[in-house]
Amino acid sequence: MLRNVSGFSFSAAAGPLPDEVAADVAAACRAGRGSVLSLPFTSPAFRALQEETEACLRRLLAIPDRFRVLFLAGGASAQFALLPLNLLGTARQASYVDGGHWSRRAIAEARRYAEVSIAVQASGRIPDVGEWRVDPRAAYCHVTSNETADGLQFRELPVLPVPLVADMTSDLLMRPLDFARLSLVYAGAQKTIGTPGLTLVIVDERLLGRARPETPRVMDYAAQAAADSRLCTPPVFPIFVAHRMLHWIEARGGVAVMAEAARRRSDAVYAALAEGAGTYVMPVDRASRSHVNPCFRLADEAQTALCLQAAEAAGLHDLRGHPDVGGVRVSLYNGVADAAVDALVAFLRAFARRHGLRAA
């Protein structure tokens, strides 16, 4: 049974839908014979929906014509294996940036198929690109643009001598992108533009046709591109939700407005944490701190449970850090309301005052 919880969720797993988007989706589900829940993917109506979704995505991100947009089923973690299967071609080497929990998950999976070298270790800070050591033989270099578990974010993606691949599951449509620097972007839709079940792959067509022979056809980027993402049943309902979210973003001014909102909200959270410097510890260097997932710890680790318990009582839910990392984690995805951030900031200040741990 779904929980009925008042207050605000800051879950890193899935972002909330804005109220008007949620109402629109709910109405579309209840539309009788025309319900989106029974929309056939073979119908002209779905094809029009998919085309409109892609067109809006292209407008928002200024995606060049040479990039293909794939609407694939499943989560972004599946791409950890599909990247080497699709992109290695005759190469054996791939470079990865180790920036935290999710990049390490991608590295571990890629090592089943490729010889992986670590271009740079980004622990608590992102080193200047001059410090990177990208294997010139690599078929690609992979970065996780925003580490949700660690609170580290690439504010700017680098120019590299090999194709740059980015896992942008947690900050797609929350920042402008420069496709002159990128060869492939992939993202699960559930955090910033919809619901679980849809993964977007935006790939330079010059990388297509390199899949290893054993790659299943439904997982072959080139085969899916040739079939307009309908080689098998696509995730119809999540595509519908993404359609509504993308148009919601566009109606509010586009990606630049979302990026400014993320910066403003995260600045407010970081300011509250800095005011309570005797209570809170921010482990990430200021220049590398995420605008999407501020992560912090309690100076007295024993107070972590108390802080989370007090937050729950105040109606601020899902702030516990990733199980493998610990601490406290805030998620500020596109659908999070300003009122939620205001309530969180007030709580952080009050908690530090109440426990008398503010820095002198």
Side-chain angles (χ1 to χ4, degrees), residues 13 33-34 64 67 83 112 134 143 146 156 160 194 199 241 257 281 296 309 312:
R33 290 181 59 192
F67 281 77
L83 288 172
R112 300 179 61 199
V134 178
V143 302
N146 181 69
E156 185 176 84
L160 295 179
T199 296
V241 180
V257 171
V281 176
F296 62 95
Q309 194 173 48
E312 285 282 338

Side-chain angles (χ1 to χ4, degrees), residues 143-168:
V143 302
T144 302
S145 60
N146 181 69
E147 288 280 1
T148 61
D150 303 83
L152 179 144
Q153 185 180 28
F154 285 80
R155 300 289 177 81
E156 185 176 84
L157 295 173
V159 176
L160 295 179
V162 303
L164 177 61
V165 170
D167 176 358
M168 302 196 73

Side-chain angles (χ1 to χ4, degrees), residues 123-126 151-152 155 282-290:
S123 180
R125 60 175 285 271
I126 298 171
L152 179 144
R155 300 289 177 81
M282 291 176 277
V284 177
D285 182 77
R286 183 187 298 272
S288 301
R289 287 176 191 162
S290 174

Side-chain angles (χ1 to χ4, degrees), residues 57-58 61 63-64 67-71 164 166 168 172-173 177 179 182-187 199-205 207:
L57 181 68
R58 286 184 175 277
L61 291 176
I63 300 173
F67 281 77
R68 301 298 302 271
V69 176
L70 307 182
F71 297 87
L164 177 61
M168 302 196 73
L172 186 70
L173 275 298
L177 294 182
F179 281 93
L182 285 158
S183 292
L184 187 149
V185 171
Y186 67 98
T199 296
L200 294 172
V201 175
I202 306 169
V203 55
D204 189 327
E205 61 188 14
L207 294 185

Side-chain angles (χ1 to χ4, degrees), residues 50-309:
Q50 182 182 337
E51 289 169 1
E52 291 170 9
T53 305
E54 179 174 341
C56 190
L57 181 68
R58 286 184 175 277
R59 290 194 301 271
L60 287 168
L61 291 176
I63 300 173
D65 290 343
R66 73 173 185 277
F67 281 77
R68 301 298 302 271
V69 176
L70 307 182
F71 297 87
L72 304 180
S77 292
Q79 306 307 314
F80 296 168
L82 297 188
L83 288 172
L85 284 173
N86 276 280
L87 301 185
L88 282 178
T90 58
R92 289 293 306 163
Q93 294 78 22
S95 283
Y96 279 69
V97 174
D98 182 349
H101 174 81
W102 289 105
S103 55
R104 287 192 284 273
R105 289 273 296 269
I107 288 165
E109 187 67 16
R111 281 182 167 148
R112 300 179 61 199
Y113 308 96
E115 296 173 11
V116 173
S117 62
I118 303 303
V120 72
Q121 185 88 32
S123 180
R125 60 175 285 271
I126 298 171
D128 183 82
V129 71
E131 300 177 45
W132 295 26
R133 296 293 178 264
V134 178
D135 188 338
R137 303 169 299 167
Y140 61 89
C141 182
H142 176 282
V143 302
T144 302
S145 60
N146 181 69
E147 288 280 1
T148 61
D150 303 83
L152 179 144
Q153 185 180 28
F154 285 80
R155 300 289 177 81
E156 185 176 84
L157 295 173
V159 176
L160 295 179
V162 303
L164 177 61
V165 170
D167 176 358
M168 302 196 73
T169 295
S170 54
D171 60 356
L172 186 70
L173 275 298
M174 296 191 70
R175 58 191 293 178
L177 294 182
D178 181 359
F179 281 93
R181 301 183 176 206
L182 285 158
S183 292
L184 187 149
V185 171
Y186 67 98
Q190 69 275 8
K191 300 180 189 296
T192 63
I193 54 167
T195 52
L198 168 65
T199 296
L200 294 172
V201 175
I202 306 169
V203 55
D204 189 327
E205 61 188 14
R206 293 174 293 188
L207 294 185
L208 298 177
R210 302 183 183 184
R212 288 166 54 154
E214 65 269 29
T215 305
R217 287 194 69 238
V218 295
M219 298 176 180
D220 183 326
Y221 294 157
Q224 284 285 10
D228 292 326
S229 302
R230 297 190 293 271
L231 187 61
C232 54
T233 304
V236 174
F237 178 70
I239 290 173
F240 174 81
V241 180
H243 176 276
R244 296 304 197 257
M245 270 298 295
L246 291 169
H247 283 81
W248 179 86
I249 291 169
E250 188 171 48
R252 274 145 193 81
V255 173
V257 171
M258 298 298 112
E260 173 56 25
R263 185 202 59 76
R264 172 174 47 81
R265 292 167 172 180
S266 62
D267 282 353
V269 173
Y270 287 127
L273 294 173
E275 288 175 23
T279 305
Y280 309 117
V281 176
M282 291 176 277
V284 177
D285 182 77
R286 183 187 298 272
S288 301
R289 287 176 191 162
S290 174
H291 288 321
V292 182
N293 298 100
C295 293
F296 62 95
R297 312 189 79 83
L298 276 292
D300 178 359
E301 288 284 355
Q303 288 200 326
T304 301
L306 176 63
C307 180
L308 293 169
Q309 194 173 48

Side-chain angles (χ1 to χ4, degrees), residues 8 10 268-269 271-273 275-276 279-280 296 298 303-320 328-330 338-356 358:
F8 303 105
F10 295 91
V269 173
L273 294 173
E275 288 175 23
T279 305
Y280 309 117
F296 62 95
L298 276 292
Q303 288 200 326
T304 301
L306 176 63
C307 180
L308 293 169
Q309 194 173 48
E312 285 282 338
L316 307 172
H317 308 291
D318 307 310
L319 287 164
R320 187 177 302 277
V328 183
R329 169 173 57 176
V330 180
D338 283 343
V341 181
D342 294 341
L344 175 63
V345 167
F347 167 81
L348 292 172
R349 289 177 172 146
F351 184 85
R353 286 195 302 268
R354 186 179 307 122
H355 294 277
R358 289 184 69 187

Side-chain angles (χ1 to χ4, degrees), residues 1-74:
M1 179 180 294
L2 291 175
R3 62 177 182 170
N4 183 13
V5 179
S6 61
F8 303 105
S9 171
F10 295 91
S11 172
L17 295 178
D19 289 343
E20 52 266 56
V21 174
D24 189 13
V25 170
C29 290
R30 294 192 296 263
R33 290 181 59 192
S35 170
V36 68
L37 297 177
S38 55
L39 178 63
F41 84 93
T42 54
S43 67
F46 173 73
R47 295 192 181 197
L49 172 72
Q50 182 182 337
E51 289 169 1
E52 291 170 9
T53 305
E54 179 174 341
C56 190
L57 181 68
R58 286 184 175 277
R59 290 194 301 271
L60 287 168
L61 291 176
I63 300 173
D65 290 343
R66 73 173 185 277
F67 281 77
R68 301 298 302 271
V69 176
L70 307 182
F71 297 87
L72 304 180

